[in-house]
């Protein structure tokens, strides 16, 4: 089995530059000095979110992150979590949805927040001071138990541009998990995954579909064959972790095969957060929503609603494309076999890492 070793050893520590340096992540300080310069020595101890005063200005950062993957139920989970009275969202001023803002993975390093944005349009680095103005601190100031939730799924997997920023590196020098842990080491992370074959097909039918374009099981098969060859070619001269974190512009591909190699991304976050990381599957979320939401609420340390079943029924399911899949048709058997052979070893590594066979995605 192919595996990889992190070049950076992750250790427990406090926030700020001292902590990042102890982790061997000095690249983060240089890359995001505007962040570390504005962080307090200590957060206010009575708040559940990570809050502090900068002179007379009350500031907060999220204490809960819903991290990936695309088309794995993150929107539905976020919608249900937002019905909880002890949870709130970010409110940035430029029209972005409250669920996801893509600051940490993208605009922090001068990348477009939206993957379908015109690649010729120049993007500027968003300063941390601007980001702080929309984190939802105003709703937390008088409610100490309120927790801000950042529902940006790209946090788990998106480090695009790392190879251009660090051309001498043979793999990303840090993960977004390292970054968030350096800023808020006690944050709670919720990852939600799905059978990688189903995830890939759902994404293919959902994202970047041009008006004149027809997508079918046959066109999907063509893309799968091409991308499996491309990824395996990458492995002949690069580390697995280097190939997992996509460096190509996302608007140049029609499927993101590498996002289904979950073990790459989960390993990075597990090293940073340990037991503060909770990994769910969409399959179990659909089958046992009451049990899973109970697990989520216990993980982030908020009360479990008494009538959780009604709580769930009153929340509409969000962001599905089941109707489109029924219209187009299922994956071809030959395509499914190729993907099963490709993802199988990585699913086994994930199940071993998390000590649970459900991550084999056999059923």
């Amino acid at each position: 089995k192919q595996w990889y070793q992190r070049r950076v050893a992750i250790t427990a520590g406090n926030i700020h530059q001292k902590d990042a340096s102890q982790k061997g992540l000095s690249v983060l300080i240089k890359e995001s000095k505007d962040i570390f310069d504005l962080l307090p020595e200590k957060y206010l101890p009575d708040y559940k979110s990570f809050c502090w005063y900068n002179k007379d200005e009350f500031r907060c950062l999220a204490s809960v992150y819903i991290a990936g993957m695309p088309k794995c139920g993150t929107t539905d989970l976020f919608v249900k979590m937002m019905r909880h009275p002890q949870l709130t969202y970010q409110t940035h001023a430029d029209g972005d949805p409250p669920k996801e803002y893509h600051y940490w993975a993208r605009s922090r390093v001068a990348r477009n927040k939206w993957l379908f944005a015109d690649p010729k349009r120049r993007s500027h680095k968003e300063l941390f001071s601007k980001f702080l103005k929309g984190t939802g601190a105003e709703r937390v100031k008088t409610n100490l138990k309120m927790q801000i939730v950042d529902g940006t799924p790209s946090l788990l997997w998106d480090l695009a541009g790392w190879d251009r920023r660090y051309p001498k590196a043979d793999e990303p020098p840090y993960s977004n998990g390292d970054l968030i842990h350096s800023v808020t080491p006690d944050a709670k992370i919720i990852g939600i995954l799905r059978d990688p074959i189903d995830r890939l097909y759902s994404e293919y039918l959902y994202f970047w579909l041009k008006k004149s374009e027809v997508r079918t099981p046959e066109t999907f098969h063509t893309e799968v064959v091409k991308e499996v060859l491309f990824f395996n070619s990458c492995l002949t001269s690069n580390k697995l972790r280097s190939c997992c974190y996509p460096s190509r512009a996302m608007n140049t591909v029609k499927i993101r095969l590498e996002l289904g190699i979950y073990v790459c991304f989960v390993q990075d976050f597990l090293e940073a957060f340990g037991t503060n990381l909770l990994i769910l599957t969409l399959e179990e979320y659909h089958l046992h929503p009451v049990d899973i939401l109970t697990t989520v609420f216990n993980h982030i340390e908020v009360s479990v609603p008494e009538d959780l079943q009604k709580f769930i029924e009153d929340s509409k399911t969000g962001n599905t494309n089941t109707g489109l899949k029924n219209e187009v048709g299922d994956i071809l058997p030959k395509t499914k076999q190729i993907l099963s052979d490709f993802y199988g070893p990585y699913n086994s590594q994930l199940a071993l890492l998390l000590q649970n066979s459900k991550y084999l995605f056999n059923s």
Side-chain angles (χ1 to χ4, degrees):
K1 295 180 180 180
Q2 183 164 359
W3 194 241
Y4 63 91
Q5 295 292 328
R6 288 293 308 276
R7 180 173 52 175
V8 179
I10 306 301
T11 59
N14 297 319
I15 60 174
H16 302 334
Q17 300 181 25
K18 180 180 178 182
D19 178 54
S21 296
Q22 288 174 343
K23 292 178 178 181
L25 299 173
S26 59
V27 291
L28 276 176
I29 299 173
K30 294 178 182 179
E31 188 176 76
S32 297
K33 191 173 184 298
D34 61 310
I35 294 177
F36 291 98
D37 283 350
L38 287 180
L39 292 177
E41 286 297 324
K42 293 182 179 179
Y43 293 119
L44 296 174
D46 295 331
Y47 284 89
K48 295 284 285 183
S49 293
F50 296 107
C51 302
W52 73 99
Y53 278 97
N54 179 44
K55 297 180 180 179
D56 294 331
E57 188 174 0
F58 185 70
R59 292 171 164 174
C60 291
L61 290 172
S63 54
V64 178
Y65 292 85
I66 303 175
M69 283 286 184
K71 303 310 298 173
C72 288
T74 60
T75 297
D76 187 69
L77 179 60
F78 181 84
V79 168
K80 287 179 170 54
M81 290 176 68
M82 285 303 99
R83 289 181 55 82
H84 196 289
Q86 292 174 280
L87 301 175
T88 190
Y89 50 87
Q90 301 181 107
T91 49
H92 295 279
D94 48 2
D96 293 280
K99 174 181 176 247
E100 51 195 83
Y101 190 63
H102 300 281
Y103 167 75
W104 299 104
R106 296 177 187 166
S107 59
R108 175 185 66 89
V109 288
R111 292 179 55 218
N112 283 318
K113 284 182 289 184
W114 306 109
L115 296 180
F116 49 78
D118 183 355
K120 296 180 181 178
R121 181 183 175 185
R122 185 178 178 183
S123 185
H124 298 278
K125 174 183 175 68
E126 180 176 353
L127 293 177
F128 189 53
S129 55
K130 176 181 180 293
F131 172 72
L132 285 172
K133 295 183 183 298
T135 59
E138 69 279 0
R139 288 188 298 281
V140 174
K141 188 173 183 179
T142 58
N143 190 339
L144 277 65
K145 293 184 178 180
M146 184 74 75
Q147 296 196 60
I148 300 168
V149 180
D150 185 329
T152 308
S154 64
L155 190 68
L156 185 64
W157 55 267
D158 193 355
L159 281 174
W162 69 266
D163 52 337
R164 293 183 292 277
R165 296 197 300 276
Y166 304 102
K168 295 182 180 180
D170 57 2
E171 64 178 346
Y174 64 83
S175 71
N176 290 327
D178 296 328
L179 170 62
I180 297 299
H181 187 268
S182 295
V183 174
T184 51
D186 295 323
K188 298 294 179 67
I189 313 296
I190 302 166
I192 182 165
L193 312 177
R194 176 185 187 180
D195 184 319
I197 300 175
D198 294 338
R199 191 214 72 80
L200 190 67
Y201 192 48
S202 179
E203 180 178 74
Y204 177 71
L205 297 179
Y206 183 83
F207 285 119
W208 310 301
L209 183 61
K210 298 177 182 178
K211 291 184 178 180
S212 60
E213 184 181 5
V214 176
R215 293 190 177 182
T216 66
E218 289 76 18
T219 60
F220 179 65
H221 178 81
T222 300
E223 295 299 325
V224 165
V225 171
K226 180 174 67 176
E227 290 300 315
V228 168
L229 287 173
F230 180 87
F231 190 86
N232 287 335
S233 176
C234 178
L235 288 179
T236 62
S237 56
N238 297 280
K239 294 181 179 180
L240 175 62
R241 192 165 172 271
S242 175
C243 297
C244 283
Y245 282 103
S247 56
R248 290 180 293 171
M250 287 294 99
N251 51 16
T252 65
V253 298
K254 293 183 178 179
I255 61 171
R256 297 182 287 187
L257 182 78
E258 61 270 26
L259 297 198
I261 306 177
Y262 303 137
V263 67
C264 277
F265 316 109
V266 172
Q267 171 79 13
D268 280 353
F269 268 74
L270 187 63
E271 288 180 350
F273 283 98
T275 56
N276 276 12
L277 172 67
L278 173 67
I279 298 295
L280 310 172
T281 71
L282 181 62
E283 289 81 1
E284 65 183 346
Y285 180 48
H286 281 168
L287 288 173
H288 310 290
V290 172
D291 293 340
I292 296 305
L293 276 178
T294 298
T295 298
V296 168
F297 291 147
N298 285 335
H299 179 68
I300 62 177
E301 300 179 35
V302 297
S303 61
V304 179
E306 290 185 7
D307 190 354
L308 189 53
Q309 183 63 48
K310 186 175 186 303
F311 179 93
I312 293 170
E313 291 172 354
D314 289 345
S315 305
K316 293 182 179 180
T317 301
N319 202 22
T320 66
N321 61 339
T322 304
L324 182 58
K325 182 180 176 182
N326 291 338
E327 179 182 333
V328 172
D330 290 331
I331 302 174
L332 298 176
K334 63 180 180 180
T335 314
K336 197 162 190 175
Q337 186 60 56
I338 291 172
L339 289 173
S340 180
D341 292 342
F342 177 81
Y343 284 129
Y346 301 120
N347 292 344
S348 296
Q349 291 175 14
L350 180 66
L352 182 63
L353 177 69
L354 298 179
Q355 295 293 292
N356 196 314
S357 62
K358 70 182 179 183
Y359 302 109
L360 293 172
F361 299 103
N362 282 332
S363 59

